[in-house]
Amino acid sequence: MPAVATAFLSFLSRQIACSLTDLTLQAGCCGRRVTAVKGFAMLRRCGFVAALMLASFVIFEASAVERRVAFVIGNSDYQEISALKNPAKDVVDVSNTFRAAGFDVFVASNLTKLQFEDQFRNYLAAVDGADIAVVYYSGHGFQIGGENFLIPVDASLKDAADVEVQAIKLNDVLQQMRSKSKIQVIILDACRNNPFPRKDYWLRDQLLTASGTGLAQVRSSLNTLIAFATEPGAVAYDGAGDLSPFSLAFSRRALAPNQEIRTVMAAVRRDVVEATQGLQVPWENSSLIDEVVLMRRSSRPSLPPVLEKVVLSGAGPIDLDLPEPVQVDGGTITVSIERPPALGRLMLDGKVIEAGELIQGKDLPRLQFDVPKGAGEPEEMDMLAYAARDSWGGEAKGMLVFRVKSGEGTQGEQVMASLEAEQKQQVLQRGIHVTGAAEAIENREVDVPVGVGAVALNLDVPTDDAAVSLKVTNYPATGTLSLPDRTLSPESSLTVGEVEGLRYEPQIGASAPVEIAFEIRADSAISKPAKMKLSPSVDPCDLAAGEPLDLQGVVPGLLPNEIGADAVELCEAAVKAYPDVARFRYELGRALLAAGKVDQARKAIQQAADRGHVRAVFELGYLHATGTGQAVDRKQANTFYAVASDKGDPYGMTAWGRALFHGNGVERDTGKGLDLLLKAASMGHTYAINDLGAIFTEGRNGVPADQARAVAFLKAGVQRQDMYSMNLLGRNYLSGRGVEKDPKAALALFQKAIDLGQPYAPASLARMYRDGVGVEQNLDEAQRLFELATSRGDQSGAYDRAALEMQKGDQADQAVAVRFLAFTVALDFRNELPDARATLAKFGAKPKAAALKQLRGELKSKIPLSGSVDKQLVKVARAVWEQANPRRDLF
């Protein structure tokens, strides 16, 4: 706490101490009596100073809520290698630990590679802008050439290229976390023996030998901590119990309140060394410059600072009805009697409570005050001062000021009757307050949008009775509950005055409704349960225009050609409702592009980029690269691609990696380009996967051809349902490159790619029917498929359709051949088929005139024509194709 704040609090403490001393003296410590008027003046003075003290805590202790997100993974049930007994159990214990500490916890067991990619993307979207990002992994792991890999449960690692497509590189995980969060913590209980028989694997452009034991030391960047279950190169043990020694020690130690993580890890190290008799020594590498406290406990118990009560002398012990202190962070509370009343005896269960004595916080409502006869005539003032303290050093002070009246005679009896009636009314009122609060919460169902931050639940509890509090008895299974000043945990409580600030942030990727339950209570005798349901909901804009692999997105996403006509209206509504959520502006830009409104789209995308949406930065580069709405500018495109790549966007990595690898608009850097493509592929980006498949199929820019490596990537693309990978892998099965020839497998892949809309697969399958390879020859089916390929923009398919027509000899329709040659040239943007123009030129005027007439007849609006007949044919063919395919993303 700043020195100024400390001095101010010290001053206020002295002031309230003086006020209490003054009130004590005037209330009879020295045998003097004060009038009610004078007593009330002192009461007001104490209340004023107490209010100042309370305000000072708000000013100096309230802080912004930390965003803390953990991803806890436990892989036990391996399919190709030895299973591990502990990780699936470790994950339960460790995830509960992080949830108890108030983290948004993503929990996963027995992840395949594809499942890891999906869940890691959701985690990265949640961790965007977080204060602390944690990944805890328990399972198999090993090292190759100083690089550490985590092993999904479906990994076989039989071939040299398998590590690139089946394993998870720890450095890639760390770089993604680093690009999105302030502090990164990775905890690895994965230092077991390498279980794979193969020893050499591809790592970038080298074939390296895997280590047989443990993990390698990791160089962490600033504000990162990486903890290992054992030292580099050594082996960790499962142990004899349900949990590994490391996970057990971590779960025990991590919840120590207000302990910095390096202190926690030192305690974990001591426990593990003792449990394994020195065979396993946990180790960490830290570059932290900020303090990391997993179980932060900075709140004070909550209780009213000043209360007032009338008591009668000679009436026996009177219930004080003090509210039970609310411990907002859970745990136990003890109450110290700082100054008992001077005019009588403070009692609990018939026993006198003296100054300095401790009682349990739950017993505070049962305190009684017994004033002997003779006191209270005339009315006297007295007080009780007490302090509530929690398990981690938080403290709050309370005060009860008494107006002591005589209980003797008729007047005393009347006052007693009035007080008893008042007490009964208070009990009745508190019961009504508790019931009303429960009814305001019970069975409420609230739809909570995903990916817009913490959403206010707008609970309206019809009471401000300070004695009423709520304890969380069922914390939501996913997501986080919070108040403006703190995140709640499964043991939290809150005062009735805080209910209106209750918020919930659903977990990205979670769609199942969650239940929250509370116990609403006023004292030990009055309580009621209440529960409510929260249903995460995805905004219609996300559903209509969300993009695949958007690490700030909340849905699997749609390709550009899948965006519907209603997307613009839906996303305009989302931008209006959530003007600070940059994602909606980007998705609006995508919708506008799909609708052909390029200028408006570029403006929306720029706004999203300015507000920090990384995929929008990539899209700005794409607009420059394709000349969409502006002149082509490859260098400017690369500038945007590089920024998006540095921020971890897989699209940006692929585009920038491709530019570097090939030297497109930038000086060639094959090594860096290849590395970026591999990183993007490891995140499941199939564009990068297919690029790598092509690079290793052909061998490019000094990277040698390796058909088996190419096939490994193409199979990875097929696993991710990529239609381009299907077509490419089908061709490998036909040629036998990297795999044994298998025409049936090729046919199945081509057909599936056709069903998904892939443009080149129809021609691939058509050639099988044309040549009778793997199927019975069927020229009619080949013709149909070549025409389908042409309609999808495949210039090679159009060329083969023209050739198929000419193979009919005297039966050939030359106008049809001319037509498809015109489409070939019109669609051949990169001049890959230079012979097509020459072939078109050889046809006579009559078939060309017939083809041109037919094509022009298909146009809905006429276009001006000039130049040779061949040029007119190509221009009209292009116009006919664009008319059938108006979307910018399809041509």
Side-chain angles (χ1 to χ4, degrees):
M1 184 178 292
V4 174
T6 304
F8 182 57
L9 284 177
S10 176
F11 167 75
L12 288 176
S13 298
R14 290 196 301 272
Q15 292 299 305
I16 196 167
C18 292
S19 299
L20 294 179
T21 302
D22 290 347
L23 184 57
T24 299
L25 291 174
Q26 295 185 60
C29 285
C30 298
R32 293 193 298 238
R33 295 181 177 179
V34 296
T35 65
V37 172
K38 195 170 185 180
F40 281 132
M42 291 310 304
L43 174 60
R44 287 196 298 272
R45 182 180 175 190
C46 280
F48 172 70
V49 177
L52 275 180
M53 179 67 83
L54 185 63
S56 72
F57 279 109
V58 173
I59 293 170
F60 292 110
E61 291 194 0
S63 60
V65 176
E66 276 190 329
R67 291 195 62 244
R68 312 193 304 169
V69 190
F71 187 18
V72 182
I73 308 163
N75 283 348
S76 284
D77 299 337
Y78 284 88
Q79 300 166 13
E80 303 283 341
I81 56 177
S82 58
L84 298 172
K85 69 173 184 176
N86 292 132
K89 297 173 183 176
D90 291 342
V91 74
V92 175
D93 205 59
V94 173
S95 63
N96 288 339
T97 297
F98 280 110
R99 185 158 287 278
F103 279 72
D104 182 10
V105 185
F106 289 72
V107 187
S109 297
N110 298 321
L111 289 179
T112 65
K113 178 62 163 61
L114 266 66
Q115 289 170 338
F116 173 83
E117 290 172 9
D118 288 342
Q119 297 203 34
F120 188 54
R121 283 195 295 269
N122 287 334
Y123 166 72
L124 289 177
V127 99
D128 189 43
D131 296 280
I132 302 175
V134 175
V135 167
Y136 191 109
Y137 175 80
S138 180
H140 275 302
F142 71 103
Q143 59 169 301
I144 303 171
E147 289 271 15
N148 293 317
F149 291 86
L150 312 180
I151 310 302
V153 296
D154 61 339
S156 63
L157 302 189
K158 294 177 181 177
D159 298 318
D162 285 348
V163 71
E164 298 176 303
V165 295
Q166 295 182 10
I168 300 153
K169 191 186 294 184
L170 179 63
N171 244 351
D172 290 348
V173 171
L174 178 57
Q175 286 182 19
Q176 285 292 340
M177 295 168 65
R178 188 182 299 141
S179 70
K180 288 179 165 291
S181 57
K182 180 181 178 183
I183 299 171
Q184 304 82 46
V185 175
I186 295 181
I187 304 174
L188 300 169
D189 192 0
C191 312
R192 297 167 173 86
N193 279 321
N194 178 1
F196 299 102
R198 187 179 183 93
K199 296 304 178 186
D200 58 332
Y201 296 96
W202 279 109
L203 192 63
R204 300 183 185 89
D205 57 349
Q206 299 182 64
L207 199 61
L208 300 177
T209 301
S211 169
T213 58
L215 297 177
Q217 183 172 347
V218 179
R219 292 179 59 190
S220 61
S221 61
L222 195 63
N223 240 1
T224 298
L225 181 141
I226 303 172
F228 296 84
T230 192
E231 58 196 318
V235 177
Y237 299 93
D238 271 349
D242 287 340
L243 304 178
S244 74
F246 181 78
S247 291
L248 177 62
F250 179 80
S251 293
R252 286 178 53 201
R253 296 294 186 178
L255 295 182
N258 299 326
Q259 291 290 306
E260 211 278 334
I261 193 169
R262 284 162 287 195
T263 302
V264 169
M265 297 313 298
V268 170
R269 184 159 38 249
R270 288 192 295 270
D271 288 353
V272 173
V273 168
E274 181 179 351
T276 62
Q277 298 180 337
L279 295 175
Q280 180 176 333
V281 182
W283 174 89
E284 64 265 359
N285 179 20
S286 172
S287 60
L288 294 176
I289 59 173
D290 291 317
E291 183 181 66
V292 176
V293 176
L294 299 180
M295 192 67 166
R296 190 176 294 280
R297 289 295 182 249
S298 58
S299 300
R300 300 173 297 124
S302 178
L303 52 94
V306 181
L307 295 171
E308 181 187 1
K309 188 172 183 66
V310 175
V311 296
L312 296 179
S313 61
I318 301 293
D319 293 335
L320 296 184
D321 296 318
L322 287 170
E324 181 180 343
V326 176
Q327 170 52 342
V328 297
D329 286 328
T332 59
I333 295 179
T334 57
V335 174
S336 169
I337 304 303
E338 306 289 290
R339 188 249 185 235
L343 297 177
R345 300 180 303 166
L346 188 65
M347 306 182 71
L348 177 63
D349 297 332
K351 176 188 173 184
V352 175
I353 305 298
E354 304 290 350
E357 195 163 343
L358 299 178
I359 64 173
Q360 294 298 310
K362 62 183 177 60
D363 292 330
L364 189 63
R366 296 193 294 112
L367 280 180
Q368 296 178 311
F369 185 30
D370 184 16
V371 183
K373 289 183 180 181
E377 184 58 49
E379 182 177 299
E380 296 180 275
M381 302 297 295
D382 203 351
M383 64 166 286
L384 162 67
Y386 56 97
R389 299 181 177 90
D390 61 26
S391 306
W392 21 82
E395 178 181 294
K397 293 185 180 294
M399 184 193 310
L400 178 59
V401 179
F402 301 106
R403 293 165 54 198
V404 180
K405 296 185 178 183
S406 173
E408 299 178 18
T410 304
Q411 185 177 359
E413 292 175 359
Q414 291 175 348
V415 174
M416 174 62 76
S418 175
L419 290 176
E420 289 177 349
E422 183 180 328
Q423 185 174 8
K424 289 180 181 179
Q425 181 64 24
Q426 184 183 55
V427 171
L428 178 63
Q429 283 295 113
R430 283 187 173 166
I432 293 172
H433 293 162
V434 169
T435 299
E439 289 176 349
I441 295 172
E442 180 67 16
N443 294 326
R444 278 199 66 186
E445 295 189 16
V446 181
D447 286 333
V448 186
V450 175
V452 299
V455 179
L457 298 183
N458 296 320
L459 296 178
D460 185 12
V461 176
T463 179
D464 57 0
D465 188 341
V468 178
S469 65
L470 291 82
K471 180 178 176 60
V472 179
T473 56
N474 185 65
Y475 198 84
T478 57
T480 53
L481 278 175
S482 65
L483 293 167
D485 65 336
R486 67 185 186 276
T487 299
L488 303 184
S489 67
E491 296 297 320
S492 292
S493 295
L494 58 158
T495 65
V496 71
E498 293 176 313
V499 173
E500 64 180 4
L502 195 61
R503 307 177 301 179
Y504 173 68
E505 183 168 359
Q507 190 172 96
I508 292 174
S511 57
V514 296
E515 188 175 271
I516 307 173
F518 300 96
E519 178 191 359
I520 304 169
R521 56 189 180 183
D523 54 43
S524 57
I526 305 175
S527 69
K528 278 188 175 295
K531 63 179 182 296
M532 62 184 297
K533 183 185 292 184
L534 304 175
S535 298
S537 61
V538 176
D539 192 275
C541 174
D542 288 315
L543 296 173
E547 186 164 28
L549 303 189
D550 185 350
L551 301 188
Q552 292 165 299
V554 300
V555 293
L558 302 174
L559 296 173
N561 61 306
E562 298 173 319
I563 297 174
D566 61 343
V568 171
E569 182 179 352
L570 294 172
C571 290
E572 285 176 341
V575 169
K576 183 177 181 180
Y578 305 102
D580 296 329
V581 179
R583 179 181 77 253
F584 291 133
R585 293 180 186 271
Y586 174 61
E587 291 171 353
L588 173 60
R590 293 192 80 215
L592 289 166
L593 276 179
K597 301 178 180 179
V598 176
D599 290 341
Q600 295 178 50
R602 190 169 60 245
K603 180 180 179 181
I605 292 167
Q606 182 68 62
Q607 290 175 345
D610 293 342
R611 287 165 168 78
H613 196 76
V614 179
R615 181 58 57 77
V617 176
F618 161 82
E619 192 74 14
L620 291 174
Y622 181 76
L623 297 178
H624 281 286
T626 56
T628 303
Q630 59 201 342
V632 172
D633 188 337
R634 187 72 206 188
K635 289 187 177 180
Q636 185 62 40
N638 285 339
T639 300
F640 287 114
Y641 288 160
V643 172
S645 176
D646 289 344
K647 292 182 178 294
D649 179 62
Y651 276 53
M653 288 179 183
T654 300
W656 182 224
R658 189 183 291 153
L660 288 168
F661 186 85
H662 296 289
N664 295 332
V666 66
E667 184 177 350
R668 180 184 293 171
D669 188 334
T670 302
K672 185 175 180 181
L674 182 64
D675 191 48
L676 286 172
L677 289 170
L678 288 167
K679 288 179 187 295
S682 73
M683 300 184 68
H685 191 24
T686 55
Y687 291 13
I689 286 172
N690 291 328
D691 277 353
L692 292 166
I695 288 169
F696 298 131
T697 294
E698 302 167 7
R700 294 178 179 175
N701 300 339
V703 176
D706 186 324
Q707 302 297 337
R709 197 176 184 188
V711 166
F713 278 98
L714 295 178
K715 286 182 176 180
V718 171
Q719 276 188 308
R720 289 154 184 80
Q721 301 301 304
D722 183 76
M723 57 188 180
Y724 290 89
S725 299
M726 293 173 189
N727 184 56
L728 293 171
L729 183 59
R731 292 179 181 180
N732 281 67
Y733 276 117
L734 278 182
S735 66
R737 291 185 301 180
V739 289
E740 291 186 13
K741 285 187 177 182
D742 189 343
K744 288 185 178 180
L747 187 148
L749 286 166
F750 291 150
Q751 188 59 62
K752 189 169 184 180
I754 290 169
D755 294 341
L756 292 172
Q758 210 273 349
Y760 309 114
S764 297
L765 185 54
R767 294 180 189 106
M768 292 182 69
Y769 280 108
R770 181 193 65 191
D771 302 332
V773 176
V775 294
E776 185 177 345
Q777 188 180 48
N778 186 334
L779 296 181
D780 289 339
E781 182 64 7
Q783 177 177 305
R784 182 188 72 83
L785 288 167
F786 281 136
E787 291 177 0
L788 176 61
T790 303
S791 71
R792 293 183 177 182
D794 179 7
Q795 69 273 18
S796 295
Y799 191 69
D800 284 352
R801 172 64 183 92
L804 187 63
E805 187 64 31
M806 294 309 298
Q807 289 172 12
K808 296 177 182 178
D810 293 340
Q811 302 298 317
D813 186 334
Q814 292 194 10
V816 170
V818 168
R819 171 188 176 89
F820 283 98
L821 284 170
F823 277 122
T824 302
V825 178
L827 297 171
D828 188 18
F829 305 117
R830 290 176 293 205
N831 197 29
E832 295 174 342
L833 299 169
D835 290 344
R837 289 184 183 273
T839 304
L840 176 61
K842 293 178 182 178
F843 280 82
K846 186 175 180 180
K848 289 181 180 179
L852 182 59
K853 181 179 179 180
Q854 183 187 31
L855 287 168
R856 293 187 68 178
E858 295 175 23
L859 287 175
K860 294 179 180 178
S861 58
K862 302 304 179 184
I863 61 172
L865 295 176
S866 61
S868 68
V869 175
D870 286 8
K871 288 183 177 180
Q872 293 181 43
L873 277 166
V874 172
K875 186 173 183 180
V876 175
R878 170 74 175 177
V880 168
W881 192 87
E882 288 186 357
Q883 177 179 273
N885 299 278
R887 296 289 297 277
R888 72 161 187 99
D889 44 84
L890 294 181
F891 55 90

